[in-house]
């Protein structure tokens, strides 16, 4: 057993100092101290830091604190010195009444280890209370004929202290008639009695004044006095007698105030005033006087205050009955207070975590708490529970302490906050319960990437869009919170036509809105494949991708392009030949046009906008074919001028026009004759044009003959080239000559036509053969169509012109084709 140095609060009256702070090691988790009562606040009790094997400054680091429950905290921790000190003045008598041993229990929590240590502090009695009789004066009536040796009960003194500090004895002032005798009862209580030593004569002295002194054994000794007035009476030889030496009664603690408890009964054989019995409490304490009331006449005891089993379960009340002259009889009333289940369990949170990460492992401690029920027996047994549908469990630890643990890993995206209700229920009937609510927040970690609501996106934007136009908004959701849910958007690096995709499209990193940085052209780019990345702001960040297809919508921004006939670069006009013998519906030629747009914007329709002789020709609405509308007559002019308009179906529609010249004649001489007989124009420039045409025909005929001879010589050297040319000539041999004059990009024709004109030597009886048109299947690329091709002459035609042995019929056919160039 270790002892502590003397405490400054020790009282030195007899040179003896009470040793304070005595420590016993009961077991590994229990510490005991002893401390005297009535110490000042902050008085040293024990060095708790040393007994825990810690330095004073480590108390805070280990979270050492007192968690004992109770209405009043009697002790506190001095964190600077590491000592357990008093929190105020301690009155042992108030705390433990007259209990032989007064021990106060408290628990100390080591928060970092979640460990509870029990500390017991014994409160040692000091002599701070003097014996007290409860009354300053007592009157004793003695019959004058009382025999010597008669004993008279004297008032008893009460000392709240215990042991040597309690009541030790009595002294009586000197008297020749009386002496003092002190009796000790079975319970150890000393009862003073006044003993008559000699017979008294009332006539000599009617009243005797004595002083009774009670003293204790403390250091210094405390004492109390009571004045005893002895009044001599006439003879009274019977004392009251109680019906029972002691009365026992049980009462429930919730009995209403004013309830009857029991009735005392004492009898006296004397008559008159000597036989009139009255009742009173003897050596009554304040606490009993507040709870019980005794009717001095009837002997009824009633409850005057609220009984509380948790405060005291048993009361020992001394009562006495005395007659008129003053003879007294003593008895006891033993009151047992029965416990009822009137206290609900108390839950005290010792340690609590208000937030936990969602990735915390199962078994993480959320809270440490204790339960207490002031009732006894079954009423004081407590069971704790939590709802079964929550991922938590309760674990009982030391004593009445419980730990609240996680049962599995939590998911904030599933439940972000738990409102736990801990229910503490006792085993009383009916049971009482207490609910304690604990709110637990689940802290987020970045465990979820952003998620797009769609697997892929499709967007449409019309061509010729303004720069900066908004295309589409993509949004990704992240079920995390705060920074972990803050999503930013970006485009995956890619290229289009060897140009970075970021030069075409941009995306707002915060809103996910895509913008066009350029004006798109449907004819160049029809769709773009993008990949959008959504990344959160967690650490580390998580991301996800989604594909986006951007379709460029066509607009009617291209006018129809007429491929055939095209305007010659030299200012001349192509001529189509129609025989006068042609029946209605005869195919004269076809206007070929394309539109670089698509869909309805490229759907073309043809119409005859203007004709020199209306009603003579018609144009197919969708084919562009020019047919004769009726039979040709002699009065119809040789040269017919037609203006054909080609229009698409866009909104608004765009169009293009072409002028066709149709020559109506049955033979070449007719053509030449008709050309000479054409009415001279009023405009001098028109006369000159006719003259130029005649001269040109003659010059070209000569040049053509020389050209054929040169081609034959070159053909031997360029055999391979000539074979390719022959293959091409086989397809184009029957085309009118106007198909090759002034045509820019002839290979881009959608459809080609060939007309074979056969004339006999008699031009008036010549017949014409018009084979069915041949259609080209495809168009060549735009770049090739835009290149200027040289004048093309079928190889077979050249060979035929150079061979004088050919029939006259073929020569006339070649002349007609050649004439059509002009």
């Amino acid at each position: 057993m270790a002892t502590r140095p003397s405490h400054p609060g020790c009282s030195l009256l007899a040179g003896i100092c009470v040793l304070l702070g005595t420590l016993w090691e009961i077991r590994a988790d229990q510490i005991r101290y002893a401390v005297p009562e009535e110490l000042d606040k902050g008085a040293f009790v024990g060095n708790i830091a040393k007994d825990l094997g810690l330095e004073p400054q480590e108390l805070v680091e280990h979270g050492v604190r007192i968690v004992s429950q109770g209405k009043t905290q009697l002790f506190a921790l001095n964190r600077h010195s590491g000592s357990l000190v008093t929190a105020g003045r301690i009155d042992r008598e108030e705390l433990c009444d007259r209990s032989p041993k007064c021990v106060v229990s408290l628990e100390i929590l080591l928060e970092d280890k979640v460990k509870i240590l029990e500390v017991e502090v014994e409160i040692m009695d000091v002599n701070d209370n003097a014996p007290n009789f409860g009354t300053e004066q007592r009157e004793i009536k003695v019959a004058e004929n009382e025999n010597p040796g008669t004993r008279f009960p004297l008032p008893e003194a009460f000392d709240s202290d215990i042991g040597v500090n309690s009541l030790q004895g009595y002294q009586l002032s000197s008297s020749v008639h009386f002496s003092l005798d002190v009796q000790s009862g079975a319970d150890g209580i000393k009862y003073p009695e006044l003993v008559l030593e000699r017979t008294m004569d009332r006539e000599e002295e009617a009243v005797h004044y004595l002083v009774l002194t009670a003293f204790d054994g403390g250091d210094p000794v405390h004492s109390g006095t009571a004045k005893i007035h002895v009044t001599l009476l006439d003879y009274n030889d019977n004392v009251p007698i109680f019906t029972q030496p002691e009365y026992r009664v049980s009462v429930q603690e919730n009995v209403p105030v004013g309830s009857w408890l029991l009735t005392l009964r004492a009898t006296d054989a004397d008559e008159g005033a000597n036989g009139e019995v009255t009742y009173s409490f003897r050596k009554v304490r304040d606490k009993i006087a507040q709870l019980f009331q005794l009717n001095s006449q009837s002997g009824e005891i009633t409850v005057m205050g609220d009984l509380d089993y948790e405060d005291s379960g048993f009361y020992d009340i001394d009562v006495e009955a005395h007659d008129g002259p003053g003879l007294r009889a003593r008895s006891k009333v033993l009151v047992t207070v029965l416990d009822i289940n009137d206290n609900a369990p108390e839950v005290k949170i010792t340690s609590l975590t208000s937030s936990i990460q969602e990735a915390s492992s199962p078994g993480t401690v959320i809270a440490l708490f204790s339960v207490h029920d002031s009732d006894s027996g079954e009423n004081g047994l407590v069971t704790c529970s939590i709802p079964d549908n929550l991922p938590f469990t309760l674990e009982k630890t030391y004593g009445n302490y419980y730990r609240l643990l996680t049962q599995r890993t939590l998911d904030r995206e599933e439940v972000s906050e738990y409102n736990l209700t801990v229910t503490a229920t006792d085993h009383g009937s009916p049971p009482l319960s207490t609910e304690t609510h604990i709110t637990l927040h689940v802290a987020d970690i970045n465990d979820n990437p952003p998620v797009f609501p769609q697997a892929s996106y499709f967007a449409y934007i019309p061509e010729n869009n303004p720069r900066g136009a908004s295309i589409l908004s993509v949004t990704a959701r992240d079920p995390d919170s705060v920074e972990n849910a803050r999503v930013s958007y970006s485009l995956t690096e890619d290229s289009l036509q060897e140009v970075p995709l970021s030069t075409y499209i941009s995306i707002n990193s915060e809103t996910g809105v895509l913008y066009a940085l350029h004006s798109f052209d449907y004819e160049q780019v029809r769709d773009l494949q993008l990949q959008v990345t959504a990344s959160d702001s967690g650490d580390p960040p998580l991301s996800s991708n989604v594909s986006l297809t951007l379709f460029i919508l066509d607009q009617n921004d291209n006018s129809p392009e007429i491929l055939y006939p095209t305007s010659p670069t030299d200012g001349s006009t192509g001529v189509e030949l129609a025989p006068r013998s042609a029946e209605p519906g005869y195919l004269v030629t076809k206007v070929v046009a394309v539109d670089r747009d698509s869909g309805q914007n490229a759907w073309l329709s043809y119409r005859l906008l203007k004709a020199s002789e209306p009603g003579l020709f018609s144009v197919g609405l969708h084919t562009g074919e020019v047919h004769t509308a009726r039979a040709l007559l002699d009065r119809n002019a040789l040269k017919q001028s037609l203006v054909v308009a080609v229009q698409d179906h866009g909104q608004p529609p765009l169009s293009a026009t072409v002028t066709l010249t149709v020559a109506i004649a049955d033979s070449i001489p007719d053509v030449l004759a008709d050309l000479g007989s054409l009415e001279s124009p009023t405009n001098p420039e028109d006369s000159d044009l006719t003259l130029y045409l005649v001269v040109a025909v003659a010059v070209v005929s000569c040049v053509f003959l020389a050209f054929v001879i040169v081609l034959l010589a070159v053909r031997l050297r360029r055999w391979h080239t000539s074979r390719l040319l022959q293959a091409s000539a086989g397809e184009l041999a029957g085309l009118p000559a106007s198909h090759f004059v002034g045509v820019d990009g002839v290979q881009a024709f959608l459809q080609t036509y060939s007309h074979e004109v056969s004339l006999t030597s008699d031009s008036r009886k010549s017949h014409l053969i018009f084979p069915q048109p041949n259609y080209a299947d495809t168009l060549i690329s735009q770049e090739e169509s835009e290149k200027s091709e040289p004048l093309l002459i079928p190889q077979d035609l050249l060979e035929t012109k150079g061979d004088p042995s050919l029939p006259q019929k073929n020569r006339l056919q070649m002349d007609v084709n050649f004439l059509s160039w002009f």
Side-chain angles (χ1 to χ4, degrees):
M1 180 176 68
T3 59
R4 303 297 181 193
S6 300
H7 195 279
C10 291
S11 176
L12 298 176
L13 294 179
I16 301 175
C17 179
V18 179
L19 296 178
L20 306 178
T22 307
L23 167 68
W24 294 272
E25 285 292 333
I26 301 301
R27 57 180 183 270
D29 57 350
Q30 189 177 54
I31 300 174
R32 285 191 174 183
Y33 297 106
V35 63
E37 65 174 335
E38 299 299 329
L39 291 181
D40 293 333
K41 180 180 179 180
F44 175 85
V45 176
N47 192 336
I48 196 70
K50 181 178 180 182
D51 294 330
L52 292 177
L54 303 173
E55 293 298 327
Q57 61 272 17
E58 293 179 337
L59 293 181
V60 177
E61 299 175 2
H62 289 273
V64 179
R65 56 190 174 95
I66 297 175
V67 295
S68 298
Q69 56 194 0
K71 298 179 180 178
T72 305
Q73 291 292 338
L74 301 178
F75 303 96
L77 279 176
N78 188 326
R79 299 185 182 275
H80 297 290
S81 63
S83 303
L84 182 67
V85 298
T86 59
R89 296 184 69 86
I90 302 175
D91 188 351
R92 183 189 182 281
E93 288 71 28
E94 181 181 353
L95 189 64
C96 300
D97 200 1
R98 291 183 56 81
S99 176
K101 191 172 185 179
C102 183
V103 177
V104 177
S105 297
L106 62 147
E107 285 112 10
I108 292 181
L109 170 67
L110 278 71
E111 192 163 314
D112 61 335
K113 298 181 179 179
V114 194
K115 182 178 181 183
I116 300 293
L117 297 177
E118 184 180 2
V119 176
E120 290 186 357
V121 180
E122 182 179 358
I123 310 301
M124 303 181 66
D125 184 51
V126 298
N127 192 23
D128 59 337
N129 293 284
N132 184 14
F133 286 94
T135 179
E136 296 182 357
Q137 182 175 314
R138 171 67 65 88
E139 182 181 13
I140 298 176
K141 295 179 180 181
V142 179
E144 61 178 349
N145 61 343
E146 197 70 61
N147 295 325
T150 302
R151 296 173 177 269
F152 302 94
L154 292 174
E156 299 169 16
F158 177 77
D159 194 337
S160 299
D161 298 324
I162 62 171
V164 69
N165 296 325
S166 65
L167 180 66
Q168 297 297 314
Y170 297 89
Q171 289 181 350
L172 186 64
S173 60
S174 62
S175 173
V176 296
H177 297 284
F178 300 95
S179 65
L180 178 66
D181 187 20
V182 179
Q183 300 291 329
S184 295
D187 54 2
I189 298 177
K190 295 177 171 56
Y191 301 98
E193 293 181 340
L194 186 65
V195 180
L196 182 62
E197 293 292 331
R198 53 194 291 181
T199 304
M200 294 184 296
D201 187 0
R202 180 179 177 276
E203 284 68 26
E204 287 183 5
E205 188 175 358
V207 180
H208 295 266
Y209 297 95
L210 303 174
V211 176
L212 179 63
T213 302
F215 57 89
D216 59 23
D219 184 15
V221 176
H222 292 165
S223 63
T225 60
K227 294 179 181 180
I228 308 298
H229 293 177
V230 180
T231 303
L232 298 180
L233 300 174
D234 287 336
Y235 180 72
N236 180 24
D237 58 350
N238 290 290
V239 296
I241 300 174
F242 280 99
T243 57
Q244 297 179 21
E246 64 181 20
Y247 295 84
R248 294 180 179 270
V249 64
S250 297
V251 60
Q252 288 188 336
E253 60 177 327
N254 64 339
V255 63
V257 174
S259 298
W260 172 83
L261 189 61
L262 80 161
T263 301
L264 300 176
R265 181 68 62 190
T267 60
D268 193 318
D270 295 328
E271 293 182 352
N274 294 332
E276 293 179 359
V277 180
T278 57
Y279 305 91
S280 64
F281 288 130
R282 190 167 59 89
K283 64 171 186 179
V284 64
R285 289 176 291 167
D286 292 341
K287 191 171 186 180
I288 293 177
Q290 294 172 0
L291 295 176
F292 304 100
Q293 183 180 33
L294 174 60
N295 189 312
S296 61
Q297 300 300 321
S298 65
E300 289 185 353
I301 299 178
T302 55
V303 178
M304 294 301 297
D306 294 325
L307 299 180
D308 189 355
Y309 172 84
E310 288 71 41
D311 187 15
S312 178
F314 180 79
Y315 295 95
D316 183 352
I317 306 174
D318 292 322
V319 295
E320 65 180 9
H322 49 86
D323 56 19
L327 295 180
R328 289 175 169 79
R330 292 191 297 267
S331 184
K332 284 183 178 290
V333 177
L334 305 178
V335 181
T336 301
V337 180
L338 301 178
D339 181 44
I340 64 169
N341 193 27
D342 61 340
N343 290 282
E346 297 178 1
V347 177
K348 184 176 181 181
I349 303 294
T350 304
S351 178
L352 176 63
T353 299
S354 60
S355 179
I356 182 175
Q357 280 197 346
E358 59 179 323
S360 298
S361 59
T364 302
V365 179
I366 303 301
L368 174 68
F369 60 91
S370 61
V371 293
H372 173 73
D373 195 314
S374 300
D375 296 322
S376 63
E378 291 293 322
N379 297 332
L381 294 179
V382 181
T383 300
C384 290
S385 64
I386 59 175
D388 296 333
N389 59 343
L390 296 179
F392 302 96
T393 183
L394 282 177
E395 179 183 283
K396 190 172 184 180
T397 59
Y398 165 79
N400 57 350
Y401 279 87
Y402 289 83
R403 291 197 304 174
L404 179 63
L405 312 171
T406 57
Q407 199 171 31
R408 60 174 173 81
T409 302
L410 305 181
D411 187 358
R412 191 205 68 85
E413 287 69 45
E414 181 180 344
V415 180
S416 62
E417 180 179 284
Y418 290 92
N419 292 313
L420 299 168
T421 301
V422 179
T423 304
T425 307
D426 60 27
H427 293 191
S429 180
L432 300 179
S433 62
T434 300
E435 291 186 350
T436 301
H437 301 282
I438 297 175
T439 300
L440 178 65
H441 300 277
V442 182
D444 182 53
I445 64 171
N446 193 27
D447 58 344
N448 291 281
V451 177
F452 288 95
Q454 298 177 211
S456 60
Y457 288 86
F458 299 92
Y460 303 87
I461 184 172
E463 65 173 332
N464 304 317
N465 57 282
R467 294 185 179 183
S470 174
I471 301 174
L472 175 69
S473 176
V474 294
T475 303
R477 303 296 181 186
D478 195 317
D480 295 324
S481 64
V482 196
E483 291 298 323
N484 296 331
R486 185 172 299 169
V487 181
S488 60
Y489 304 90
S490 62
L491 293 176
T492 303
E493 289 296 330
D494 202 349
S495 61
L496 177 66
Q497 298 178 354
E498 298 183 357
V499 177
L501 198 59
S502 58
T503 62
Y504 292 90
I505 301 292
S506 70
I507 187 169
N508 189 308
S509 61
E510 295 182 359
T511 62
V513 177
L514 285 92
Y515 298 94
L517 300 180
H518 283 278
S519 180
F520 290 103
D521 187 355
Y522 174 82
E523 288 70 41
Q524 293 184 0
V525 179
R526 298 197 174 188
D527 62 78
L528 288 88
Q529 301 293 329
L530 310 173
Q531 191 172 59
V532 179
T533 300
S535 303
D536 58 29
S537 301
D539 185 17
L542 301 178
S543 62
S544 60
N545 298 326
V546 68
S547 62
L548 170 64
T549 303
L550 177 61
F551 295 98
I552 312 301
L553 299 179
D554 181 50
Q555 287 187 324
N556 193 25
D557 60 342
N558 290 282
S559 299
E561 181 181 353
I562 298 176
L563 301 180
Y564 177 82
T566 57
S567 299
T569 58
D570 58 357
S572 61
T573 302
V575 177
E576 303 292 342
L577 183 64
R580 289 186 180 274
S581 60
E583 297 295 330
Y586 171 77
L587 176 63
V588 178
T589 186
K590 178 176 181 177
V591 178
V592 180
V594 295
D595 195 313
R596 295 176 62 188
D597 296 321
S598 64
Q600 186 171 334
N601 296 329
W603 183 18
L604 302 180
S605 60
Y606 303 83
R607 62 189 178 92
L608 185 59
L609 188 65
K610 182 180 179 182
S612 56
E613 291 189 28
L616 187 58
F617 297 95
S618 65
V619 178
L621 178 64
H622 301 297
T623 62
E625 295 178 348
V626 179
H627 295 268
T628 56
R630 59 177 174 80
L632 302 179
L633 303 176
D634 291 339
R635 68 174 179 269
N636 295 129
L638 168 66
K639 181 180 178 181
Q640 297 290 331
S641 179
L642 306 177
V643 178
V644 178
V646 183
Q647 180 176 292
D648 59 28
H649 285 70
Q651 292 297 330
L654 302 178
S655 62
T657 60
V658 63
T659 300
L660 301 178
T661 300
V662 180
I664 301 175
D666 289 329
S667 62
I668 294 299
D670 291 341
V671 173
L672 297 177
D674 290 340
L675 289 175
S677 63
L678 289 177
E679 183 180 354
S680 299
T682 57
N683 192 341
E685 293 181 0
D686 294 338
S687 280
D688 294 341
L689 182 60
T690 302
L691 178 62
Y692 295 154
L693 180 60
V694 174
V695 174
V697 170
V699 172
V700 169
S701 298
C702 296
V703 173
F704 180 75
L705 183 60
F707 181 68
V708 170
I709 296 173
V710 173
L711 281 179
L712 290 175
V714 173
R715 187 180 182 193
L716 295 176
R717 186 171 57 88
R718 299 177 61 183
W719 175 256
H720 181 67
T721 304
S722 65
R723 288 179 64 85
L724 295 178
L725 192 57
Q726 287 174 2
S728 301
E731 297 178 2
L732 302 175
L735 287 176
S738 61
H739 284 224
F740 305 96
V741 178
V743 178
D744 211 1
V746 140
Q747 295 178 2
F749 289 175
L750 179 64
Q751 296 178 350
T752 59
Y753 292 80
S754 62
H755 303 273
E756 182 177 352
V757 182
S758 299
L759 300 176
T760 62
S761 57
D762 187 358
S763 62
R764 293 293 181 182
K765 298 179 180 180
S766 299
H767 66 277
L768 288 84
I769 301 175
F770 299 96
Q772 293 299 320
N774 299 324
Y775 299 91
D777 295 330
T778 60
L779 293 176
I780 61 175
S781 64
Q782 179 182 355
E783 289 83 4
E784 294 177 351
S785 66
E786 292 177 353
K787 294 179 181 179
S788 178
E789 296 290 341
L791 182 65
L792 300 180
I793 301 175
Q795 184 70 20
D796 294 344
L797 178 61
L798 297 178
E799 294 175 355
T800 303
K801 292 290 285 185
D803 190 352
S805 63
L806 290 177
Q808 181 67 24
K809 176 182 178 181
N810 293 337
R811 283 204 177 100
L812 289 175
Q813 177 183 351
M814 290 185 292
D815 291 340
V816 170
N817 290 335
F818 182 78
L819 182 60
S820 66
W821 295 353
F822 302 96

